[in-house]
Amino acid sequence: MKLDERVHALVEKGVKIQAPHSIALGPEVDPDRISGEGVILHAGCRIFGAGTLICAGAELGREAPVTLENCQIGPEVQLKGGYFKDAVFLKRSGMGSGAQVREGTILEEEASGAHTVGLKQTILFPFVTLGSLINFCDCLMTGGTSRKDHSEVGSSYVHFNFTPNQDKATASLMGNVPDGVMLNQRPVFLGGQGGLVGPCRLAFGTVIAAGCIYRKDELRPNRLLIDGIGRSGNMPFETGFYRSIKRIVQNNILYITNLMALRAWYGVVRREFISDAFPDALWGGLMEKVYMGIAERITRLDALAQKLPESARIYREQAGENASAALLAQKAQLHERSAELSQLFLNLKNETGDAAKAAAFISVIQSHIQEKGKDYIAVIKSLNDEEASLGTQWLQGMVDAHSGAAFALLPAFGFKAA
């Protein structure tokens, strides 16, 4: 069998391929986007997508075959087996065998998952660690300061992201972007054999005991949450009926605006670290995936809004004269203003917040780069409390302003601006 000429070219440039005839490269793959420096492709790897990038020291397929499609793989990443599509993996991040990682997913530096983990529209900040047998889609997790002090999700955990009413306005935020990017916050711990019912928000330092299915927000830091088995019940259920939607809408708006802050961080701060170890194409992958996340959440919130007239009809039939006028007004307003709300988010998605605050923080970052070089983790961890606070204030100002603009479109909900 004749060896694919492009596979042969990869071998010639230094890529270590133990079984070259077992490697499949899609015709659209650019071999120049695959580094020859320390990259290892084990038997059975299949690589597709014009956007695919593989940086120095990456290793694919050590435990099982890997299928890679339009992913950007940073230096020293290890993907041990599974399917990976439209995702970004930054330096020394990795996944065990049996993974299924789909579009919109970002693993930042040294984030990892063990075997048989499913991710989609998932963003893990540096050091976040997932155990095995986990489904953790539609969420953003931050917290932790190092590999020894990291946020963790225990094995056999599920983030429940699809409702009986068949919607996915369910993204959960563990920690937040403005504080989380500074790598100086307490980790979040989700105990194994448990689950989180989205959309939820959890503060830094939250610990959920193993075996719990948790359904609430916890915005007080450093809390241990133990949720026992609730009382049993048996009652009528009609698909399409939503009870209170205020918390759902608020959490979705805050999730979207945190993604906007993350986009600003990537666009303004991360680009300062572009180098041989963090090439422009890898940075571009980050930007693309966070845009995908914003678009996904806008779509999911709009889909929920379109179901609310039917929900209101069911509610009127069930409650009769006891129907809450406030709840009906909220449903009507979100439905009527959904297009306006979506457009607001689209108009804001490229904003970078207060220009003076951003410039002041970038000046700090540049001075630390002069001392530490373009090692992202080293630079961020070298910031003192005052410097980190400057960056957090810039990003939190964005979240507050953007969420405030969204809340203003929905006065029936009575949201309080930050």
Side-chain angles (χ1 to χ4, degrees):
M1 180 186 297
K2 184 178 179 181
L3 182 64
D4 184 313
E5 291 182 359
R6 293 177 309 144
V7 174
H8 178 72
L10 292 180
V11 173
E12 289 294 305
K13 73 190 289 188
V15 178
K16 297 179 181 179
I17 306 178
Q18 287 89 342
H21 285 93
S22 74
I23 304 300
L25 290 183
E28 72 287 354
V29 174
D30 182 357
D32 289 339
R33 291 170 64 93
I34 300 176
S35 173
E37 185 182 342
V39 170
I40 301 174
L41 302 181
H42 292 277
C45 287
R46 298 182 295 172
I47 302 173
F48 306 105
T52 291
L53 173 77
I54 303 177
C55 293
E59 182 177 9
L60 308 185
R62 184 178 182 85
E63 296 178 351
V66 162
T67 298
L68 197 71
E69 186 173 351
N70 274 322
C71 291
Q72 292 76 47
I73 309 300
E76 302 174 52
V77 169
Q78 291 195 358
L79 303 181
K80 296 183 178 179
Y83 177 71
F84 307 89
K85 180 178 186 291
D86 290 321
V88 177
F89 299 84
L90 299 187
K91 187 175 182 179
R92 296 198 189 104
S93 61
M95 297 292 293
S97 61
Q100 187 186 62
V101 178
R102 293 176 288 163
E103 57 267 22
T105 294
I106 297 171
L107 268 67
E108 294 196 1
E109 287 85 353
E110 300 186 44
S112 65
H115 70 80
T116 325
V117 172
L119 306 177
K120 181 183 178 184
Q121 297 291 341
T122 305
I123 299 176
L124 305 180
F125 275 28
F127 318 123
V128 174
T129 301
L130 310 181
S132 301
L133 304 170
I134 285 172
N135 190 319
F136 206 60
C137 302
D138 293 311
C139 49
L140 188 155
M141 190 170 196
T142 72
T145 62
S146 69
R147 287 295 306 144
K148 293 183 178 180
D149 177 46
H150 59 268
S151 289
E152 176 145 353
V153 180
S155 294
S156 301
Y157 204 87
V158 177
H159 177 247
F160 295 100
N161 66 327
F162 190 71
T163 75
N165 286 322
Q166 302 184 22
D167 74 85
K168 282 194 173 184
T170 52
S172 290
L173 187 62
M174 283 142 273
N176 63 57
V177 169
D179 293 295
V181 292
M182 300 307 166
L183 307 181
N184 60 2
Q185 298 294 313
R186 292 289 305 280
V188 175
F189 182 87
L190 308 180
Q193 292 281 340
L196 187 68
V197 181
C200 281
R201 287 184 291 152
L202 300 178
F204 292 106
T206 297
V207 174
I208 299 182
C212 295
I213 306 296
Y214 206 76
R215 295 171 167 83
K216 304 173 185 177
D217 297 336
E218 180 50 74
L219 304 181
R220 297 169 295 176
N222 307 319
R223 307 287 294 186
L224 171 62
L225 311 181
I226 304 173
D227 199 24
I229 298 175
R231 61 184 178 89
S232 61
N234 188 322
M235 62 193 73
F237 174 79
E238 186 166 357
T239 300
F241 174 49
Y242 293 82
R243 296 183 184 276
S244 174
I245 60 170
K246 182 174 181 178
R247 173 176 167 272
I248 294 172
V249 174
Q250 181 179 39
N251 282 3
N252 273 268
I253 289 172
L254 291 172
Y255 194 95
I256 291 168
T257 53
N258 268 266
L259 287 184
M260 290 176 173
L262 183 59
R263 192 222 66 82
W265 179 264
Y266 287 166
V268 176
V269 177
R270 281 276 189 176
R271 72 181 304 165
E272 295 290 327
F273 293 87
I274 291 175
S275 63
D276 290 343
F278 182 64
D280 185 76
L282 188 56
W283 173 78
L286 275 182
M287 295 293 287
E288 177 189 43
K289 302 310 180 289
V290 77
Y291 275 128
M292 288 173 66
I294 293 169
E296 173 76 3
R297 300 273 61 90
I298 293 171
T299 298
R300 296 300 186 179
L301 184 56
D302 179 71
L304 169 66
Q306 302 316 310
K307 296 183 177 184
L308 294 181
E310 176 64 8
S311 177
R313 183 193 66 77
I314 296 170
Y315 180 49
R316 288 191 188 96
E317 287 184 358
Q318 292 183 356
E321 295 180 355
N322 295 321
S324 165
L327 179 55
L328 289 170
Q330 290 172 4
K331 292 181 178 182
Q333 191 168 84
L334 181 59
H335 178 257
E336 293 166 0
R337 297 190 175 177
S338 177
E340 191 176 352
L341 183 64
S342 295
Q343 191 58 53
L344 171 70
F345 289 138
L346 293 174
N347 292 343
L348 292 173
K349 70 177 184 179
N350 290 318
E351 294 291 324
T352 55
D354 186 291
K357 289 182 178 178
F361 184 68
I362 286 301
S363 179
V364 170
I365 291 293
Q366 290 170 339
S367 68
H368 281 264
I369 288 175
Q370 290 291 324
E371 297 176 7
K372 301 287 185 180
K374 293 195 173 185
D375 183 323
Y376 176 78
I377 297 295
V379 168
I380 299 303
K381 289 185 67 64
S382 70
L383 300 175
N384 62 39
D385 291 345
E386 183 178 353
E387 292 168 335
S389 178
L390 182 64
T392 295
Q393 290 174 34
W394 159 51
L395 294 176
Q396 190 61 53
M398 279 190 62
V399 172
D400 294 344
H402 293 353
S403 60
F407 292 161
L409 288 176
L410 304 170
F413 286 81
F415 292 128
K416 294 181 180 179

